[in-house]
Amino acid sequence: MSRAMPVFLTTKAASSAVDSCWKPNNLLAIEQDSLHIAVGDDEAENLRRIQKAGRQIDNLGITRVSIQGQGWDIERQWALSLGFSNTHTSNEVLWHEAEPEVAEQLKQMRDTAAWTRDLINLPPAEMYPQSLADKVIQKFQQLAAGHIDVTVIKGDELLEQGWHGIHTVGRASVHEPLMLVIDYNPTGDANAEVSTALIGKGITFDSGGYSLKSSEGMLSMKCDMGGAATVSGALALAVQRGLKKRVKLILCCAENLVDGSAFKLGDVITYKNGTTVEVVNTDAEGRLVLADGLLAAEEFGAKKIIDAATLTGAAQVAVGTEYNALLSVDEALAAETLQLAEQQREGLWRLPLATFHKENCPSAFADTANSRAQKGGGAGGASNAAGFLLRFAPRQGEGWLHFDLAGAYHGSANGMWATGATALGMRTIAASLMQ
């Protein structure tokens, strides 16, 4: 086995920690075959510095590190792990030996985040609706055998059962669209209440349909199933932490492609609850499949509903890629979730959502359109998309959270993240399941 590079924390600036050849603002210094990360008094900034130092360590070509010395709590170790993650998740971290229970928690988090990231990073030739379903089913068969029931509704079966949104979006692909439902029920009671329904947008590739994306805009669209991967990873992490509540995982999976059978602008979809939707943008397809997921969650009687999706560019414009966006009309639940995100050290910012947002995509031919016939859906695109979903949320949105995953994927590496998926949001959603 290859040697692990020791990594220490120091309260001294790099220039004084080693020798005067280092600039005082360096994050990282090298001393006698070990690495030293300088930290200060601002803990939020410390975590950013440690994560950025992790990226620098990866860029040095190091593949294995060992966390040693004083000052390493769980969040500082996790920050290093986030930075020291390459695109292929082949780097290895040896956790601090002082607290074995903390090391085990970190191992679970890193392994589950790596699995989540790998799902998103796989090329579209390998990641299509059925393969996504197979990989998620396999994961939960390993984690919770005896506590799961699996249902796959595929192809024209979707029409027969009323799931018109998923079928409409995915019918042009040779890979049939599907809804995957995993019922995780550790209670032993077949009639147990569904504590939470998790809904993930599983668009395994998004060409934009007839509202065709540019080549540059399409390049990263293997990541459009990031919502499905994130909620699956969150449930996997919660199961490993001993989740005792019943959860329904609902993945709405399709490829949004073009052929003679593809849905077109001006088409009208009639949903299971009778709501009619005019398609004014085939590239606003994520909300069309999530609507089915929300209706399924209502049928299951879920007390709390969380959906996650790489839904809008507007969310990225609003919060950047260091945060995810949260939208909800349930004030208490939203406040609780923002607090959980802060505890989990994940960036989450609330964007506006009110009842009137349901009316912000009007149609003369249906109850609503799926967007506005403007570039990017016009002003307030993230809120208007959530307003569309609010039409399908049970109880007028009580108990419902919508995560617009602005930080799920980076098309190129930066000072904090490697190229590709991040799994940002996984910890917060897992913590919510444990509440």
Side-chain angles (χ1 to χ4, degrees):
M1 183 177 288
S2 63
R3 173 179 177 270
M5 178 66 75
V7 183
F8 295 85
L9 295 178
T10 178
T11 56
K12 299 178 182 179
S15 58
S16 58
V18 185
D19 57 51
S20 59
C21 70
W22 295 94
K23 294 178 180 179
N25 60 347
N26 267 25
L27 296 172
L28 193 64
I30 303 172
E31 178 184 10
Q32 298 177 349
D33 292 329
S34 62
L35 301 174
H36 299 256
I37 303 171
V39 295
D41 296 327
D42 183 336
E43 188 57 18
E45 183 58 25
N46 284 339
L47 295 176
R48 284 182 57 81
R49 290 176 65 85
I50 293 169
Q51 184 170 340
K52 291 171 75 173
R55 292 296 313 126
Q56 292 184 10
I57 295 169
D58 177 61
N59 289 332
L60 289 172
I62 294 169
T63 60
R64 198 163 183 257
V65 298
S66 173
I67 297 175
Q68 298 184 19
Q70 303 298 313
W72 290 101
D73 63 13
I74 187 170
E75 294 301 337
R76 288 179 172 189
Q77 292 187 68
W78 182 242
L80 180 67
S81 170
L82 291 177
F84 188 62
S85 293
N86 64 356
T87 301
H88 301 290
T89 63
S90 58
N91 290 347
E92 185 179 357
V93 179
L94 302 183
W95 309 107
H96 205 291
E97 296 179 346
E99 298 182 82
E101 290 184 3
V102 171
E104 180 59 29
Q105 288 182 53
L106 286 162
K107 182 181 185 303
Q108 289 176 354
M109 287 161 58
R110 186 167 173 87
D111 289 350
T112 307
W115 177 76
T116 302
R117 293 175 64 240
D118 287 346
L119 286 180
I120 301 170
N121 287 337
L122 280 172
E126 296 179 37
M127 180 55 65
Y128 45 89
Q130 186 63 59
S131 69
L132 173 57
D134 289 343
K135 292 177 187 301
V136 174
I137 292 167
Q138 181 183 32
K139 182 69 170 179
F140 285 98
Q141 285 174 338
Q142 293 170 348
L143 287 177
H147 294 311
I148 63 166
D149 286 314
V150 176
T151 303
V152 178
I153 308 165
K154 186 175 180 180
D156 288 345
E157 293 177 358
L158 292 162
L159 289 179
E160 294 166 8
Q161 298 193 32
W163 307 122
H164 293 274
I166 299 171
H167 185 274
T168 296
V169 171
R171 70 190 184 206
S173 173
V174 295
H175 297 297
E176 291 182 304
L178 61 86
M179 177 188 285
L180 168 65
V181 180
I182 293 182
D183 182 2
Y184 170 71
N185 186 5
T187 69
D189 178 5
N191 298 312
E193 176 186 62
V194 177
S195 172
T196 305
L198 294 175
I199 306 166
K201 174 186 172 184
I203 302 298
T204 55
F205 188 77
D206 181 18
S207 72
Y210 278 111
S211 303
L212 196 67
K213 293 179 182 290
S214 66
S215 178
E216 310 84 65
M218 207 183 299
L219 178 60
S220 62
M221 283 299 103
K222 63 183 181 181
C223 81
D224 217 18
M225 41 64 69
T230 300
V231 293
S232 298
L235 180 56
L237 184 58
V239 169
Q240 292 173 85
R241 290 177 173 173
L243 179 65
K244 301 301 183 185
K245 300 176 182 179
R246 186 179 188 182
V247 174
K248 294 270 192 176
L249 178 68
I250 307 165
L251 303 188
C252 306
C253 306
E255 286 185 324
N256 185 20
L257 300 181
V258 179
D259 78 353
S261 67
F263 70 125
K264 299 175 286 294
L265 282 77
D267 282 352
V268 174
I269 305 170
T270 302
Y271 280 84
K272 202 170 186 179
N273 67 348
T275 299
T276 57
V277 176
E278 181 189 8
V279 177
V280 301
N281 184 348
T282 61
D283 197 22
E285 85 297 330
R287 65 201 72 179
L288 296 177
V289 303
L290 288 176
D292 278 343
L294 288 165
L295 293 174
E298 181 174 26
E299 291 187 0
F300 297 142
K303 183 179 178 181
K304 180 166 64 179
I305 299 171
I306 300 173
D307 78 65
T310 49
L311 202 65
T312 67
Q316 282 194 337
V317 171
V319 303
T321 56
E322 299 298 334
Y323 286 78
N324 289 327
L326 176 70
L327 298 100
S328 179
V329 293
D330 189 322
E331 297 296 326
L333 184 58
E336 174 187 282
T337 305
L338 291 170
Q339 186 175 18
L340 286 175
E342 185 175 356
Q343 292 169 359
Q344 300 298 316
R345 301 291 186 174
E346 289 192 318
L348 185 65
W349 198 264
R350 191 176 179 190
L351 294 182
L353 180 62
T355 302
F356 72 80
H357 283 107
K358 292 193 297 184
E359 311 302 328
N360 277 9
C361 297
S363 168
F365 301 97
D367 296 325
T368 184
N370 72 324
S371 184
R372 287 176 171 171
Q374 301 172 27
K375 185 176 181 179
S383 296
N384 295 339
F388 175 90
L389 295 175
L390 182 55
R391 289 177 173 270
F392 299 89
R395 305 179 297 274
Q396 292 78 51
E398 179 187 350
W400 168 61
L401 299 168
H402 167 57
F403 283 74
D404 198 328
L405 300 177
Y409 187 90
H410 295 273
S412 59
N414 58 38
M416 298 287 287
W417 300 97
T419 302
T422 65
L424 185 67
M426 179 193 75
R427 291 184 65 188
T428 299
I429 296 172
S432 182
L433 293 176
M434 302 298 290
Q435 290 292 103

